[in-house]
């Protein structure tokens, strides 16, 4: 039974997935459907976490908009995610950055990784 499920999930995976990690600042190009029109909206922020695996893998991005923190969780292999563009790489020592939710201003920054 698990082989059948694995085959179905493998068919739903994207061929090319953009490489990014927790702490990176990314631009997520998401498809928005309004009535019969479709457009692409960009959501830029810091990746707080990646979880799950295979076709169920999701990632959460947080940004500050007008002084209010906004978080959005995206499925990695969703057809509604057009592309993910890495703006800058972050250097973190945690898999999940939940502590950033309580930080404001300069304290909410993540150090940039040196290449």
């Amino acid at each position: 039974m698990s082989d059948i499920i694995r085959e179905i999930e493998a068919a739903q995976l994207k061929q090319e997935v953009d490489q990014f990690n927790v702490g990176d600042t990314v631009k997520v190009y998401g498809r928005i459907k309004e009535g019969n029109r479709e457009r692409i909206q960009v959501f830029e922020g810091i990746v707080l976490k990646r979880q799950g695996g295979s076709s169920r893998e999701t990632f959460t991005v947080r940004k500050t908009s007008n002084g209010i923190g906004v978080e959005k969780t995206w499925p990695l292999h969703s057809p509604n995610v057009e592309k993910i563009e890495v703006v800058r790489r972050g250097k973190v020592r945690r898999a999940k950055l939940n502590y950033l939710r309580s930080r404001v201003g300069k304290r909410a920054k993540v150090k940039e990784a040196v290449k």
Side-chain angles (χ1 to χ4, degrees):
M1 187 67 171
S2 64
D3 294 334
I4 298 169
I5 293 171
R6 215 173 285 131
E7 285 180 30
I8 293 170
E9 286 182 349
Q12 295 174 348
L13 296 178
K14 284 185 179 177
Q15 301 299 327
E16 225 176 275
V17 179
D18 303 305
Q19 295 297 318
F20 65 96
N21 290 313
V22 175
D24 293 351
T25 302
V26 296
K27 284 184 182 178
V28 181
Y29 292 81
R31 283 199 186 108
I32 306 289
K33 194 162 191 168
E34 296 171 332
N36 57 356
R37 294 186 328 130
E38 196 173 279
R39 65 185 178 90
I40 293 178
Q41 187 174 25
V42 180
F43 191 89
E44 183 176 351
I46 297 175
V47 178
L48 288 187
K49 61 183 174 179
R50 279 182 80 160
Q51 61 186 19
S54 186
S55 65
R56 294 184 212 93
E57 187 171 355
T58 60
F59 62 99
T60 302
V61 180
R62 179 179 177 86
K63 75 173 183 176
T64 307
S65 179
N66 296 328
I68 299 170
V70 180
E71 286 183 20
K72 218 168 192 183
T73 302
W74 303 85
L76 186 63
H77 295 283
S78 171
N80 291 332
V81 176
E82 184 72 26
K83 68 176 180 174
I84 302 164
E85 184 180 304
V86 178
V87 177
R88 59 184 223 130
R89 301 266 178 205
K91 180 185 174 195
V92 293
R93 297 171 69 179
R94 306 246 179 291
K96 299 203 167 53
L97 305 179
N98 295 323
Y99 67 90
L100 286 180
R101 292 176 176 147
S102 61
R103 304 260 173 114
V104 180
K106 285 185 179 179
R107 297 183 73 207
K109 283 187 180 178
V110 173
K111 286 185 181 178
E112 191 163 0
V114 179
K115 294 174 181 138

